[in-house]
Amino acid sequence: MNLFLMNIMVELPYWKHLHSKIRWLAVYCIFIILLGISCSRKSSEIWIHNESSLASSGQFTEDDFRTGFIPCYQVDEYIPDHSREYLVRPRKIRIVYHIMNSEDSLHNFSEKDASGFIWMMEQDAMRYLRENEKMNLPEGNNTPVLPAAISYARMDGDQYSNGYFFHYDDELYFFINKGMHRNNHRLDVIRKYNVGGDSILNIFVMPHHPDSIISTSYHAYSAGIALGNNIKLAGIYENGGQPWMYATLFNHEVGHVLGLRHSWMHNDGCEDTPPHANCFQQSPDPPCNGIISNNMMDYNNSQKAITPCQLGIMHRALSDVSSRQRSFLVKDWCEADTTFTIIITKAEEWKGNKDLVHNIIIEEGGSLTLHCRLAMARDTWIVVKPGGALILKGARLHNDCGETWKGIQIQNEGKKSGLVLYDSQTKVENVRSTVENYVFRK
């Protein structure tokens, strides 16, 4: 083609009048330009949509699971990082309330008053989780204060009675937390009135038994107990306090449901919850004459502080697809959010289970190492640009909503290519069976 153009140009009259050296210099320049165009680097891409295409497109690397280190269960990997909120998603727990009353309806909130009181208690509980509070202990500590990234989503609609069920049952309405007739741990009321099975957190608001209240040896304090996927709260109605007074009790019991233990004995699995005397409030006499705890999982008059480790434990449970706690969640990680793209420009390593709603781009010079489960929202994708690397060490890439995602695109340009490394434990699931020619735009 280049010789053809040269012949045409030689035949032009204008060219015949030019000095031969100038003429051939011009022709040579045009030839070089055309040659450069014809030899320009070509771009292409390869799609990975299952283990077979991974094996044909990626590079196998040896397994590294012989050390016994299980990165998917390390609490630190689940502590909310609000500079990269997409790595630990804010979670919404689905709840319903059961207001238990006697058949004469004299021992708990009326249907008119209950919804307003409980709504305010719920709002205060979420505010305490959102605002958190600095730990009092140990004295002079520098424990980070992080929003919990957990909230409550009361079920609505006729099927769930807008989140409030009212039951009038003389046999099951009451709560007794001490003595020979103690029933706080019994499941009868739960078996009868639970709705949603294991997919909704059921909260039973119960009064203390009237016969217990009149006894001088029985104290009808606000109390609660977590029973699997259910919570009993008592003493809210008869004590006559404001809604905010019971919001911390509510959060305390939810903490138990999400895997937290009482922290004052230092057996809760967290180094940032120091052991202490578990004083309810400060007093003149030891051991309560100094600074007392304000942690949510202790028995104190505040219960508003949650440590990073405690947050990590709760979010770890909510990110585990095999946990009972995850079934409570509003599934808000199914639809893609294209207003933001995760850009990887340096070496990053993700070790916890994650649910993402964004596309991921691994730029030249960037690398992303995945060790655990990564759920991708519908129609999202991972792009590995030339000079970028995706390293899969026991990772499971999937969609957690019964739908599909687009898979992994490896981009090539000339001799430079994106790189995918994987081991024998890696799984790629729920990608469209037929890969389309998607046009990727940053």
Side-chain angles (χ1 to χ4, degrees):
M1 178 180 176
N2 294 339
L3 292 174
F4 175 74
L5 289 173
M6 289 168 58
N7 290 334
I8 292 177
M9 296 177 69
V10 169
E11 294 299 323
L12 292 176
Y14 176 77
W15 287 85
K16 292 181 179 180
H17 297 287
L18 291 176
H19 191 278
S20 60
K21 290 185 179 181
I22 298 176
R23 179 178 65 192
W24 285 107
L25 179 61
V27 171
Y28 177 76
C29 291
I30 294 173
F31 175 78
I32 293 299
I33 292 171
L34 291 173
L35 181 63
I37 293 173
S38 64
C39 296
S40 62
R41 293 184 298 173
K42 294 182 178 179
S43 298
S44 62
E45 65 277 331
I46 299 171
W47 284 92
I48 294 175
H49 52 88
N50 55 30
E51 281 90 344
S52 296
S53 56
L54 178 64
S56 62
S57 305
Q59 297 183 24
F60 183 77
T61 183
E62 292 296 325
D63 297 344
D64 66 342
F65 292 94
R66 307 296 179 255
T67 62
F69 177 69
I70 306 176
C72 305
Y73 294 95
Q74 302 303 306
V75 169
D76 289 352
E77 302 301 328
Y78 297 92
I79 297 172
D81 177 357
H82 293 277
S83 66
R84 299 188 299 170
E85 191 173 82
Y86 52 83
L87 292 184
V88 180
R89 291 186 57 76
R91 301 299 195 177
K92 298 177 183 178
I93 298 173
R94 302 189 300 171
I95 59 176
V96 294
Y97 297 95
H98 301 269
I99 294 84
M100 303 300 302
N101 208 335
S102 58
E103 293 179 9
D104 59 14
S105 68
L106 295 178
H107 295 97
N108 210 336
F109 294 103
S110 68
E111 296 187 17
K112 177 182 177 182
D113 297 334
S115 59
F117 187 96
I118 292 173
W119 180 84
M120 292 177 67
M121 179 185 72
E122 178 187 293
Q123 295 301 306
D124 284 327
M126 289 193 291
R127 177 168 58 86
Y128 296 150
L129 291 174
R130 184 173 60 250
E131 295 176 354
N132 206 343
E133 193 173 87
K134 181 174 173 55
M135 282 281 287
N136 288 346
L137 299 176
E139 188 174 356
N141 72 86
N142 293 313
T143 304
V145 181
L146 305 172
I150 293 173
S151 61
Y152 306 121
R154 182 167 27 86
M155 302 299 291
D156 55 14
D158 293 339
Q159 179 184 0
Y160 298 106
S161 189
N162 292 318
Y164 301 104
F165 292 91
F166 295 88
H167 309 292
Y168 303 90
D169 187 328
D170 282 347
E171 294 183 359
L172 297 175
Y173 80 93
F174 52 86
F175 181 97
I176 303 174
N177 65 348
K178 63 178 294 186
M180 64 180 297
H181 299 295
R182 175 182 175 184
N183 74 343
N184 60 344
H185 62 285
R186 295 187 62 176
L187 303 177
D188 309 56
V189 67
I190 292 169
R191 293 192 183 104
K192 185 172 182 177
Y193 294 115
N194 173 283
V195 298
D198 293 338
S199 64
I200 301 172
L201 181 58
N202 284 240
I203 301 163
F204 291 81
V205 180
M206 311 174 73
H208 290 275
H209 195 285
D211 291 344
S212 298
I213 294 174
I214 62 176
S215 170
T216 55
S217 63
Y218 186 93
H219 301 287
Y221 298 134
S222 58
I225 188 169
L227 299 167
N229 298 342
N230 304 269
I231 290 173
K232 291 181 181 180
L233 299 179
I236 294 176
Y237 170 75
E238 56 268 47
N239 284 322
Q242 295 299 310
W244 61 265
M245 297 172 64
Y246 309 105
T248 53
L249 169 65
F250 180 17
N251 285 339
H252 176 98
E253 299 306 331
V254 172
H256 281 312
V257 171
L258 298 184
L260 298 185
R261 289 177 283 176
H262 294 140
S263 57
W264 62 83
M265 296 298 292
H266 201 58
N267 63 348
D268 64 341
C270 288
E271 295 296 327
D272 52 14
T273 55
H276 57 86
N278 194 34
C279 300
F280 182 77
Q281 60 189 8
Q282 199 172 44
S283 69
D285 302 317
C288 301
N289 58 337
I291 296 175
I292 65 169
S293 173
N294 61 338
N295 189 266
M296 183 178 78
M297 299 311 297
D298 296 330
Y299 293 151
N300 58 73
N301 61 3
S302 174
Q303 293 183 308
K304 294 178 184 176
I306 318 171
T307 69
C309 175
Q310 290 175 316
L311 292 176
I313 289 174
M314 292 191 287
H315 280 281
R316 179 179 61 182
L318 294 171
S319 299
D320 184 351
V321 292
S322 65
S323 74
R324 60 182 176 83
Q325 294 94 338
R326 186 173 173 86
S327 63
F328 303 145
L329 292 179
V330 175
K331 259 191 168 178
D332 56 3
W333 56 86
C334 296
E335 297 298 319
D337 180 356
T338 58
T339 63
F340 173 75
T341 299
I342 301 171
I343 307 293
I344 307 296
T345 59
K346 57 184 180 180
E348 291 198 28
E349 193 168 15
W350 299 355
K351 294 181 180 179
N353 297 314
K354 304 187 186 305
D355 303 293
L356 297 188
V357 295
H358 306 292
N359 293 317
I360 301 174
I361 304 172
I362 305 173
E363 296 278 5
E364 180 178 2
S367 68
L368 176 60
T369 302
L370 302 177
H371 291 268
C372 306
R373 185 188 64 80
L374 177 64
M376 299 293 292
R378 181 167 61 90
D379 288 341
T380 54
W381 51 14
I382 299 174
V383 174
V384 187
K385 287 196 165 187
L390 175 63
I391 304 166
L392 305 174
K393 295 185 176 182
R396 178 193 176 197
L397 282 66
H398 73 129
N399 176 276
D400 187 48
C401 303
E403 300 188 44
T404 58
W405 60 297
K406 292 179 180 178
I408 305 167
Q409 184 194 74
I410 305 174
Q411 293 188 350
N412 306 294
E413 187 173 350
K415 295 183 179 180
K416 188 180 293 185
S417 175
L419 175 65
V420 174
L421 296 173
Y422 69 99
D423 63 13
S424 63
Q425 305 297 317
T426 295
K427 296 183 182 299
V428 180
E429 303 170 345
N430 312 122
V431 180
R432 292 183 183 178
S433 57
T434 57
V435 180
E436 304 171 15
N437 290 321
Y438 298 108
V439 177
F440 174 75
R441 294 182 176 86
K442 182 175 177 179

